[in-house]
Amino acid sequence: MSVTPCGFTRTPGKGFARLHWADGWRVDGEPPEASEPHSLRGLEIDWPGEPVPLDGLTGLAGAGIPLTAQDAPAWVPGDLAALLTDRDWLAQPADGTARSLADLRREEHSVRLRRLAHRPARVSVSIVMSTKRPGLVGAALAQMERQRGVEAEVLIGLHGVAFEQVRAAVEACSLPVRWVEAARSVPFGEVLNRAAALASGDYLAKWDDDDWYGPDHLSDLVMARSYAGADVVGTTAEFFYLEPLRATIRRTTFASGAAYPSEVWADHVAGGTILLQSAKFREIGGFPALPRAVDLEFLKAAQKIGARTYRTHGLGYVLRRGLTDEHTWQLPLAHFVRVATNQWRGFRPSLLMESA
């Protein structure tokens, strides 16, 4: 079977099945692919009495199938055993609706299993960020420092901001940081390009100065690019913190009511999460030198040259929404309330954010 999470189902149509050994790993007596494992809430592992190959089991983990076990024998590697026997994600009752927290906890568990199964090689990533808000630079850099599994460098486009306004934040950062200064009249996309011209990493990642990113954000993108074979990857724009309302919402559908899935080929990803190889970025022609809609037009340009875009999970990313004129993506706060699948008071990201 495929060892990727492509086609992961947020709200499965079936319950649990039994994963057991019978001359190979079987799901209720059948090969795993015959059980349509993405349609299952999860697989409960029934361990054999003696050691057996774990390849089939780790393949299911790599596919994002939620696996669980009451215990694990000593011959199961410790990191895998710890994850399989961590059953906290089962504490929430499933009610079959998208609003169910059981589905969110299940997806978080799925992502942890994917990370364990795939473990991409450590790569170098050039993080590109443009900012007009010097007061946000310190917090943005702190989140970049938290990134695990990658070698990161930071490239900042100071958009109408003098370096002296951010010097303290930059000098306090443990990562290598380079910057360019540009007048406020320079289009946003051009500022990004000037910063990106300094990149030395194998990959280039776009970063928004006012959003929140979990510590595995970049490594999850690299992992998704690897297992999907994509040219461009990004996440869903799924979690939003509505600052004036002091509320967090999660959306899993478009405004039309159509499903907004992750782990799919798509023409749209969250603009603050775009990642691709630096060579492919140059082949596309960089960011369009526009004041707005830079991400959208960049993805269109990528599609025109035949680049394929993949949308992975958005559990490690939260977008900040303030007043409409503060953002290049301009939609009223009422829009986000209207499309919310879940809504909570205060800042309530996914557990994968590790309290970013």
Side-chain angles (χ1 to χ4, degrees):
M1 65 171 290
S2 167
V3 290
T4 82
C6 300
F8 178 82
T9 303
R10 284 199 186 103
T11 303
K14 301 178 183 177
F16 279 87
R18 185 174 65 103
L19 180 67
H20 61 99
W21 180 265
D23 293 325
W25 289 102
R26 299 287 185 267
V27 175
D28 290 341
E30 300 292 334
E33 58 270 24
S35 68
E36 299 181 352
H38 278 304
S39 68
L40 298 170
R41 179 152 296 277
L43 291 171
E44 182 85 35
I45 302 170
D46 184 2
W47 299 106
E50 57 187 30
V52 297
L54 291 172
D55 292 358
L57 188 149
T58 56
L60 289 165
I65 309 303
L67 307 175
T68 189
Q70 291 280 359
D71 50 33
W75 44 269
V76 178
D79 52 358
L80 178 60
L83 194 50
L84 294 176
T85 57
D86 181 352
R87 295 165 72 87
D88 287 351
W89 66 280
L90 296 170
Q92 293 285 342
D95 63 10
T97 72
R99 293 180 181 272
S100 170
L101 277 181
D103 291 342
L104 176 55
R105 299 285 95 92
R106 171 181 174 269
E107 187 171 358
E108 291 164 345
H109 181 65
S110 168
V111 172
R112 294 186 183 106
L113 286 167
R114 301 171 204 178
R115 292 170 178 167
L116 187 65
H118 288 283
R119 288 179 174 168
R122 196 175 181 91
V123 299
S124 58
V125 180
S126 298
I127 305 172
V128 178
M129 180 180 77
S130 173
T131 186
K132 293 180 177 180
R133 296 169 285 202
L136 296 179
V137 170
L141 291 175
Q143 292 186 87
M144 295 176 195
E145 288 181 298
R146 295 178 72 213
Q147 295 302 301
R148 296 188 284 234
V150 298
E151 298 288 342
E153 67 171 3
V154 184
L155 312 171
I156 305 177
L158 297 171
H159 200 178
V161 174
F163 176 68
E164 287 303 318
Q165 295 176 266
V166 300
R167 176 185 291 276
V170 169
E171 292 182 348
C173 182
S174 61
L175 299 174
V177 182
R178 287 183 285 173
W179 64 91
V180 295
E181 294 184 29
R184 193 168 282 264
S185 59
V186 177
F188 172 52
E190 177 58 23
V191 178
L192 288 171
N193 283 332
R194 293 181 188 182
L198 304 175
S200 63
D202 298 325
Y203 290 82
L204 188 141
K206 185 172 175 290
W207 195 282
D208 283 355
D209 62 355
D210 59 341
D211 294 336
W212 290 273
Y213 298 80
D216 294 297
H217 168 70
L218 291 177
S219 58
D220 280 356
L221 290 174
V222 173
M223 174 177 69
R225 183 193 170 278
S226 176
Y227 63 63
D231 298 299
V232 180
V233 292
T235 77
T236 54
E238 190 168 334
F239 280 83
F240 295 80
Y241 180 62
L242 310 182
E243 202 163 38
L245 305 180
R246 298 181 181 178
T248 302
I249 68 106
R250 183 191 185 205
R251 67 159 183 163
T252 57
T253 63
F254 289 101
S256 66
Y260 179 48
S262 62
E263 305 305 331
V264 293
W265 295 99
D267 58 6
H268 174 268
V269 297
T273 69
I274 292 170
L275 178 139
L276 70 168
Q277 287 186 312
S278 297
K280 182 62 68 173
F281 175 77
R282 292 189 290 270
E283 182 184 346
I284 293 169
F287 294 108
L290 299 171
R292 295 189 184 278
V294 169
D295 308 322
L296 176 63
E297 295 303 322
F298 176 79
L299 293 171
K300 287 181 180 178
Q303 189 175 38
K304 283 181 180 178
I305 70 160
R308 301 184 71 199
T309 299
Y310 185 82
R311 187 168 68 224
T312 189
H313 77 88
L315 305 188
Y317 179 54
V318 178
L319 295 91
R320 185 197 309 256
R321 293 289 98 178
L323 300 176
T324 301
D325 60 1
E326 294 177 351
H327 303 281
T328 55
W329 180 23
Q330 293 198 344
L331 284 170
L333 293 176
H335 166 83
F336 298 100
V337 174
R338 188 167 58 251
V339 301
T341 302
N342 304 95
Q343 183 173 333
W344 303 275
R345 291 181 179 178
F347 186 70
R348 289 280 301 275
S350 160
L351 297 179
L352 298 185
M353 292 286 291
E354 298 183 18
S355 300

